[in-house]
Amino acid sequence: METLKLSGRDFFWPPADELTEAAERIRARLGDWPRADRDWRICLAAPDTAGNDDLIVVIGRAAEPDDAAAWRAAGAGLVEARTDGATLTTAAGERFVLEGTLAEDWLAALAAFLDCGFEPHDALVLALAWRDGDEAHGADAWPIDLSRFPRIAGLPAAPAQPFPVCPPRLGLYPVMPSAQWVERLLALGVETVQLRLKDATPAQLEDEIAQAVAAGRRHGAHVFVNDHWREAAQAGAYGVHLGQEDLETADLAAIAQSGMRLGLSTHGYFEMLRALHFRPSYLAFGAVFPTGTKTVATAPQGLARLERYVRLLGAHVPLVAIGGIDLARLPAVLATGVGSAALVSAITAASDLGEAVERLQQAFIA
């Protein structure tokens, strides 16, 4: 298959035949992935001219500040490898600091995962989860042993009080724009719903959340509130759902003390590890498919990635797939082993709400 061929491509600078051969050998055991959109180049020495597709690797020492600044100004990323891990610094100045084991062929693994279409920070996570010889362990050698994955350095401590557990398979998980929609879904027998409000005044926000939470109590259902954790805690919500950006500002200790469950959004391996550190009640992966209901900075994940996320984390935390999922796509999503799927337009745009919900519920039973 042409997508597995790395030889003949300028994947390493200076050219390194042995590394290229190792990368191709690893790549051939990672499954059928389309070739990456970008022609990455891993530079083991500073190139004469750095560019946007270059990752410059410095091993055993920190890069000189002037060199690092010049490479970043040219659009290149920097990987600084240590005996206990590696740090990626992007051209925009984002830093991804990972602690873990570097296999002898970690650079070859990094090239292989980049070729599978992963962004450098996620490819680096996977490269640190790789162990020498993994490519000899079957047709699909994808890393799925969580104990081998690196740790993210510099994270604040997780709340002392763990977040409460939620059902291991949340099933159909509609994400609705109002308390009225929440009530309608609960009346049809849906057991888990998220209220995601946009552009509400403080008074409207408090009232909508209170109504949705009260409806959840009447129906014995699980009502999560998106983002607004203070109002959700005040109303006694079952849970709250936060994005990665909210981890910087939300008081996770206060959320845990309130007794609410916590769901966290993730968009790749680095964000998964970051979210797991805080011991959430569930993790959401997305967007699986293109979606018009929310602006997402990352490209769609697709089913192949979702299936591997499930293999890695399915035994550790409940998982939710989200983004562009409808009735036609739902069976393929559930075939990955994920225990829940969040839907928006497939419900709000349905001409017959009752029939739509029944057919969606049946997909989880089939």
PDB file of all heavy atoms in Angstrom, residues 217-241:
ATOM      1  N   ARG A 217     -34.978  15.197  38.058  1.00  0.00           N
ATOM      2  CA  ARG A 217     -35.412  14.548  39.301  1.00  0.00           C
ATOM      3  C   ARG A 217     -36.761  13.866  39.122  1.00  0.00           C
ATOM      4  O   ARG A 217     -36.976  12.741  39.593  1.00  0.00           O
ATOM      5  CB  ARG A 217     -35.492  15.583  40.422  1.00  0.00           C
ATOM      6  CG  ARG A 217     -34.158  16.122  40.890  1.00  0.00           C
ATOM      7  CD  ARG A 217     -34.274  16.744  42.273  1.00  0.00           C
ATOM      8  NE  ARG A 217     -33.039  17.427  42.627  1.00  0.00           N
ATOM      9  CZ  ARG A 217     -32.844  18.734  42.511  1.00  0.00           C
ATOM     10  NH1 ARG A 217     -33.814  19.499  42.027  1.00  0.00           N
ATOM     11  NH2 ARG A 217     -31.708  19.275  42.854  1.00  0.00           N
ATOM     12  N   ARG A 218     -37.685  14.528  38.452  1.00  0.00           N
ATOM     13  CA  ARG A 218     -39.030  13.950  38.264  1.00  0.00           C
ATOM     14  C   ARG A 218     -38.956  12.643  37.484  1.00  0.00           C
ATOM     15  O   ARG A 218     -39.722  11.711  37.741  1.00  0.00           O
ATOM     16  CB  ARG A 218     -39.939  14.938  37.523  1.00  0.00           C
ATOM     17  CG  ARG A 218     -40.391  16.115  38.353  1.00  0.00           C
ATOM     18  CD  ARG A 218     -41.575  16.822  37.703  1.00  0.00           C
ATOM     19  NE  ARG A 218     -41.299  17.266  36.350  1.00  0.00           N
ATOM     20  CZ  ARG A 218     -40.726  18.436  36.052  1.00  0.00           C
ATOM     21  NH1 ARG A 218     -40.362  19.266  37.022  1.00  0.00           N
ATOM     22  NH2 ARG A 218     -40.506  18.782  34.793  1.00  0.00           N
ATOM     23  N   HIS A 219     -38.061  12.583  36.523  1.00  0.00           N
ATOM     24  CA  HIS A 219     -37.989  11.415  35.653  1.00  0.00           C
ATOM     25  C   HIS A 219     -36.913  10.414  36.093  1.00  0.00           C
ATOM     26  O   HIS A 219     -36.742   9.378  35.439  1.00  0.00           O
ATOM     27  CB  HIS A 219     -37.713  11.853  34.211  1.00  0.00           C
ATOM     28  CG  HIS A 219     -38.844  12.599  33.582  1.00  0.00           C
ATOM     29  ND1 HIS A 219     -39.911  11.958  32.989  1.00  0.00           N
ATOM     30  CD2 HIS A 219     -39.087  13.936  33.460  1.00  0.00           C
ATOM     31  CE1 HIS A 219     -40.760  12.865  32.510  1.00  0.00           C
ATOM     32  NE2 HIS A 219     -40.280  14.070  32.781  1.00  0.00           N
ATOM     33  N   GLY A 220     -36.205  10.721  37.179  1.00  0.00           N
ATOM     34  CA  GLY A 220     -35.138   9.828  37.621  1.00  0.00           C
ATOM     35  C   GLY A 220     -34.033   9.692  36.600  1.00  0.00           C
ATOM     36  O   GLY A 220     -33.480   8.605  36.403  1.00  0.00           O
ATOM     37  N   ALA A 221     -33.696  10.798  35.952  1.00  0.00           N
ATOM     38  CA  ALA A 221     -32.734  10.784  34.847  1.00  0.00           C
ATOM     39  C   ALA A 221     -31.469  11.549  35.221  1.00  0.00           C
ATOM     40  O   ALA A 221     -31.394  12.229  36.250  1.00  0.00           O
ATOM     41  CB  ALA A 221     -33.366  11.387  33.598  1.00  0.00           C
ATOM     42  N   HIS A 222     -30.466  11.439  34.351  1.00  0.00           N
ATOM     43  CA  HIS A 222     -29.178  12.095  34.554  1.00  0.00           C
ATOM     44  C   HIS A 222     -29.120  13.360  33.701  1.00  0.00           C
ATOM     45  O   HIS A 222     -29.070  13.259  32.470  1.00  0.00           O
ATOM     46  CB  HIS A 222     -28.031  11.170  34.154  1.00  0.00           C
ATOM     47  CG  HIS A 222     -28.131   9.802  34.750  1.00  0.00           C
ATOM     48  ND1 HIS A 222     -27.947   8.643  34.014  1.00  0.00           N
ATOM     49  CD2 HIS A 222     -28.427   9.406  36.002  1.00  0.00           C
ATOM     50  CE1 HIS A 222     -28.096   7.599  34.796  1.00  0.00           C
ATOM     51  NE2 HIS A 222     -28.390   8.023  36.013  1.00  0.00           N
ATOM     52  N   VAL A 223     -29.132  14.520  34.319  1.00  0.00           N
ATOM     53  CA  VAL A 223     -29.049  15.785  33.587  1.00  0.00           C
ATOM     54  C   VAL A 223     -27.698  16.432  33.855  1.00  0.00           C
ATOM     55  O   VAL A 223     -27.366  16.765  34.997  1.00  0.00           O
ATOM     56  CB  VAL A 223     -30.192  16.747  33.975  1.00  0.00           C
ATOM     57  CG1 VAL A 223     -29.987  18.114  33.314  1.00  0.00           C
ATOM     58  CG2 VAL A 223     -31.542  16.164  33.566  1.00  0.00           C
ATOM     59  N   PHE A 224     -26.906  16.572  32.779  1.00  0.00           N
ATOM     60  CA  PHE A 224     -25.644  17.289  32.841  1.00  0.00           C
ATOM     61  C   PHE A 224     -25.852  18.703  32.315  1.00  0.00           C
ATOM     62  O   PHE A 224     -26.682  18.937  31.435  1.00  0.00           O
ATOM     63  CB  PHE A 224     -24.580  16.593  31.985  1.00  0.00           C
ATOM     64  CG  PHE A 224     -24.061  15.311  32.564  1.00  0.00           C
ATOM     65  CD1 PHE A 224     -24.713  14.109  32.331  1.00  0.00           C
ATOM     66  CD2 PHE A 224     -22.907  15.310  33.339  1.00  0.00           C
ATOM     67  CE1 PHE A 224     -24.228  12.926  32.855  1.00  0.00           C
ATOM     68  CE2 PHE A 224     -22.416  14.126  33.866  1.00  0.00           C
ATOM     69  CZ  PHE A 224     -23.084  12.922  33.630  1.00  0.00           C
ATOM     70  N   VAL A 225     -25.074  19.638  32.836  1.00  0.00           N
ATOM     71  CA  VAL A 225     -25.120  21.029  32.386  1.00  0.00           C
ATOM     72  C   VAL A 225     -23.771  21.368  31.775  1.00  0.00           C
ATOM     73  O   VAL A 225     -22.716  21.102  32.371  1.00  0.00           O
ATOM     74  CB  VAL A 225     -25.430  21.988  33.549  1.00  0.00           C
ATOM     75  CG1 VAL A 225     -25.359  23.445  33.093  1.00  0.00           C
ATOM     76  CG2 VAL A 225     -26.801  21.680  34.146  1.00  0.00           C
ATOM     77  N   ASN A 226     -23.786  21.944  30.594  1.00  0.00           N
ATOM     78  CA  ASN A 226     -22.565  22.313  29.900  1.00  0.00           C
ATOM     79  C   ASN A 226     -22.024  23.632  30.429  1.00  0.00           C
ATOM     80  O   ASN A 226     -22.755  24.634  30.488  1.00  0.00           O
ATOM     81  CB  ASN A 226     -22.851  22.421  28.391  1.00  0.00           C
ATOM     82  CG  ASN A 226     -21.593  22.660  27.584  1.00  0.00           C
ATOM     83  OD1 ASN A 226     -21.136  23.792  27.450  1.00  0.00           O
ATOM     84  ND2 ASN A 226     -21.034  21.596  27.058  1.00  0.00           N
ATOM     85  N   ASP A 227     -20.761  23.637  30.829  1.00  0.00           N
ATOM     86  CA  ASP A 227     -19.992  24.837  31.180  1.00  0.00           C
ATOM     87  C   ASP A 227     -20.364  25.484  32.512  1.00  0.00           C
ATOM     88  O   ASP A 227     -19.492  25.778  33.320  1.00  0.00           O
ATOM     89  CB  ASP A 227     -20.092  25.907  30.081  1.00  0.00           C
ATOM     90  CG  ASP A 227     -19.281  25.562  28.858  1.00  0.00           C
ATOM     91  OD1 ASP A 227     -18.480  24.605  28.931  1.00  0.00           O
ATOM     92  OD2 ASP A 227     -19.455  26.226  27.821  1.00  0.00           O
ATOM     93  N   HIS A 228     -21.625  25.768  32.746  1.00  0.00           N
ATOM     94  CA  HIS A 228     -22.027  26.648  33.854  1.00  0.00           C
ATOM     95  C   HIS A 228     -22.072  25.874  35.165  1.00  0.00           C
ATOM     96  O   HIS A 228     -23.135  25.589  35.728  1.00  0.00           O
ATOM     97  CB  HIS A 228     -23.372  27.290  33.530  1.00  0.00           C
ATOM     98  CG  HIS A 228     -23.392  28.043  32.238  1.00  0.00           C
ATOM     99  ND1 HIS A 228     -22.712  29.232  32.069  1.00  0.00           N
ATOM    100  CD2 HIS A 228     -23.968  27.756  31.039  1.00  0.00           C
ATOM    101  CE1 HIS A 228     -22.881  29.659  30.820  1.00  0.00           C
ATOM    102  NE2 HIS A 228     -23.644  28.785  30.182  1.00  0.00           N
ATOM    103  N   TRP A 229     -20.890  25.565  35.701  1.00  0.00           N
ATOM    104  CA  TRP A 229     -20.808  24.670  36.844  1.00  0.00           C
ATOM    105  C   TRP A 229     -21.315  25.308  38.134  1.00  0.00           C
ATOM    106  O   TRP A 229     -21.867  24.615  38.998  1.00  0.00           O
ATOM    107  CB  TRP A 229     -19.370  24.171  37.015  1.00  0.00           C
ATOM    108  CG  TRP A 229     -18.345  25.248  37.266  1.00  0.00           C
ATOM    109  CD1 TRP A 229     -17.615  25.927  36.347  1.00  0.00           C
ATOM    110  CD2 TRP A 229     -17.942  25.744  38.545  1.00  0.00           C
ATOM    111  NE1 TRP A 229     -16.783  26.828  36.950  1.00  0.00           N
ATOM    112  CE2 TRP A 229     -16.951  26.731  38.296  1.00  0.00           C
ATOM    113  CE3 TRP A 229     -18.301  25.457  39.864  1.00  0.00           C
ATOM    114  CZ2 TRP A 229     -16.326  27.427  39.340  1.00  0.00           C
ATOM    115  CZ3 TRP A 229     -17.684  26.147  40.896  1.00  0.00           C
ATOM    116  CH2 TRP A 229     -16.713  27.122  40.629  1.00  0.00           C
ATOM    117  N   ARG A 230     -21.164  26.604  38.292  1.00  0.00           N
ATOM    118  CA  ARG A 230     -21.662  27.245  39.521  1.00  0.00           C
ATOM    119  C   ARG A 230     -23.183  27.152  39.593  1.00  0.00           C
ATOM    120  O   ARG A 230     -23.754  26.772  40.634  1.00  0.00           O
ATOM    121  CB  ARG A 230     -21.235  28.718  39.583  1.00  0.00           C
ATOM    122  CG  ARG A 230     -19.739  28.934  39.731  1.00  0.00           C
ATOM    123  CD  ARG A 230     -19.412  30.402  39.866  1.00  0.00           C
ATOM    124  NE  ARG A 230     -17.980  30.663  39.950  1.00  0.00           N
ATOM    125  CZ  ARG A 230     -17.169  30.785  38.925  1.00  0.00           C
ATOM    126  NH1 ARG A 230     -17.659  30.675  37.676  1.00  0.00           N
ATOM    127  NH2 ARG A 230     -15.882  31.013  39.084  1.00  0.00           N
ATOM    128  N   GLU A 231     -23.846  27.519  38.510  1.00  0.00           N
ATOM    129  CA  GLU A 231     -25.307  27.448  38.482  1.00  0.00           C
ATOM    130  C   GLU A 231     -25.786  25.996  38.574  1.00  0.00           C
ATOM    131  O   GLU A 231     -26.809  25.715  39.199  1.00  0.00           O
ATOM    132  CB  GLU A 231     -25.839  28.097  37.209  1.00  0.00           C
ATOM    133  CG  GLU A 231     -25.611  29.600  37.106  1.00  0.00           C
ATOM    134  CD  GLU A 231     -24.206  29.978  36.626  1.00  0.00           C
ATOM    135  OE1 GLU A 231     -23.389  29.051  36.384  1.00  0.00           O
ATOM    136  OE2 GLU A 231     -23.922  31.180  36.522  1.00  0.00           O
ATOM    137  N   ALA A 232     -25.037  25.092  37.950  1.00  0.00           N
ATOM    138  CA  ALA A 232     -25.403  23.683  38.022  1.00  0.00           C
ATOM    139  C   ALA A 232     -25.308  23.166  39.452  1.00  0.00           C
ATOM    140  O   ALA A 232     -26.184  22.426  39.927  1.00  0.00           O
ATOM    141  CB  ALA A 232     -24.503  22.866  37.101  1.00  0.00           C
ATOM    142  N   ALA A 233     -24.253  23.536  40.162  1.00  0.00           N
ATOM    143  CA  ALA A 233     -24.097  23.102  41.557  1.00  0.00           C
ATOM    144  C   ALA A 233     -25.197  23.694  42.435  1.00  0.00           C
ATOM    145  O   ALA A 233     -25.748  23.014  43.310  1.00  0.00           O
ATOM    146  CB  ALA A 233     -22.720  23.515  42.071  1.00  0.00           C
ATOM    147  N   GLN A 234     -25.526  24.958  42.184  1.00  0.00           N
ATOM    148  CA  GLN A 234     -26.579  25.609  42.967  1.00  0.00           C
ATOM    149  C   GLN A 234     -27.922  24.903  42.776  1.00  0.00           C
ATOM    150  O   GLN A 234     -28.711  24.772  43.716  1.00  0.00           O
ATOM    151  CB  GLN A 234     -26.697  27.077  42.547  1.00  0.00           C
ATOM    152  CG  GLN A 234     -27.738  27.866  43.325  1.00  0.00           C
ATOM    153  CD  GLN A 234     -27.790  29.326  42.886  1.00  0.00           C
ATOM    154  OE1 GLN A 234     -26.937  29.794  42.147  1.00  0.00           O
ATOM    155  NE2 GLN A 234     -28.814  30.036  43.338  1.00  0.00           N
ATOM    156  N   ALA A 235     -28.174  24.422  41.553  1.00  0.00           N
ATOM    157  CA  ALA A 235     -29.447  23.753  41.272  1.00  0.00           C
ATOM    158  C   ALA A 235     -29.424  22.281  41.678  1.00  0.00           C
ATOM    159  O   ALA A 235     -30.463  21.615  41.634  1.00  0.00           O
ATOM    160  CB  ALA A 235     -29.763  23.872  39.785  1.00  0.00           C
ATOM    161  N   GLY A 236     -28.235  21.747  42.033  1.00  0.00           N
ATOM    162  CA  GLY A 236     -28.150  20.345  42.404  1.00  0.00           C
ATOM    163  C   GLY A 236     -28.142  19.410  41.218  1.00  0.00           C
ATOM    164  O   GLY A 236     -28.712  18.314  41.278  1.00  0.00           O
ATOM    165  N   ALA A 237     -27.490  19.807  40.133  1.00  0.00           N
ATOM    166  CA  ALA A 237     -27.471  18.989  38.924  1.00  0.00           C
ATOM    167  C   ALA A 237     -26.734  17.679  39.162  1.00  0.00           C
ATOM    168  O   ALA A 237     -25.851  17.576  40.028  1.00  0.00           O
ATOM    169  CB  ALA A 237     -26.803  19.756  37.781  1.00  0.00           C
ATOM    170  N   TYR A 238     -27.093  16.684  38.376  1.00  0.00           N
ATOM    171  CA  TYR A 238     -26.427  15.385  38.431  1.00  0.00           C
ATOM    172  C   TYR A 238     -24.970  15.513  38.024  1.00  0.00           C
ATOM    173  O   TYR A 238     -24.092  14.862  38.595  1.00  0.00           O
ATOM    174  CB  TYR A 238     -27.149  14.411  37.503  1.00  0.00           C
ATOM    175  CG  TYR A 238     -26.522  13.034  37.409  1.00  0.00           C
ATOM    176  CD1 TYR A 238     -26.777  12.065  38.378  1.00  0.00           C
ATOM    177  CD2 TYR A 238     -25.687  12.696  36.341  1.00  0.00           C
ATOM    178  CE1 TYR A 238     -26.200  10.801  38.290  1.00  0.00           C
ATOM    179  CE2 TYR A 238     -25.120  11.432  36.247  1.00  0.00           C
ATOM    180  CZ  TYR A 238     -25.380  10.491  37.223  1.00  0.00           C
ATOM    181  OH  TYR A 238     -24.813   9.248  37.136  1.00  0.00           O
ATOM    182  N   GLY A 239     -24.708  16.367  37.004  1.00  0.00           N
ATOM    183  CA  GLY A 239     -23.339  16.503  36.547  1.00  0.00           C
ATOM    184  C   GLY A 239     -23.126  17.753  35.725  1.00  0.00           C
ATOM    185  O   GLY A 239     -24.074  18.473  35.373  1.00  0.00           O
ATOM    186  N   VAL A 240     -21.854  18.004  35.417  1.00  0.00           N
ATOM    187  CA  VAL A 240     -21.486  19.147  34.593  1.00  0.00           C
ATOM    188  C   VAL A 240     -20.483  18.654  33.553  1.00  0.00           C
ATOM    189  O   VAL A 240     -19.709  17.737  33.810  1.00  0.00           O
ATOM    190  CB  VAL A 240     -20.881  20.280  35.451  1.00  0.00           C
ATOM    191  CG1 VAL A 240     -19.576  19.848  36.098  1.00  0.00           C
ATOM    192  CG2 VAL A 240     -20.670  21.554  34.641  1.00  0.00           C
ATOM    193  N   HIS A 241     -20.558  19.252  32.355  1.00  0.00           N
ATOM    194  CA  HIS A 241     -19.628  18.901  31.282  1.00  0.00           C
ATOM    195  C   HIS A 241     -18.778  20.123  30.964  1.00  0.00           C
ATOM    196  O   HIS A 241     -19.303  21.211  30.724  1.00  0.00           O
ATOM    197  CB  HIS A 241     -20.394  18.458  30.023  1.00  0.00           C
ATOM    198  CG  HIS A 241     -19.481  18.080  28.904  1.00  0.00           C
ATOM    199  ND1 HIS A 241     -19.081  16.785  28.687  1.00  0.00           N
ATOM    200  CD2 HIS A 241     -18.856  18.836  27.960  1.00  0.00           C
ATOM    201  CE1 HIS A 241     -18.263  16.753  27.648  1.00  0.00           C
ATOM    202  NE2 HIS A 241     -18.109  17.980  27.194  1.00  0.00           N
TER     203      HIS A 241
END
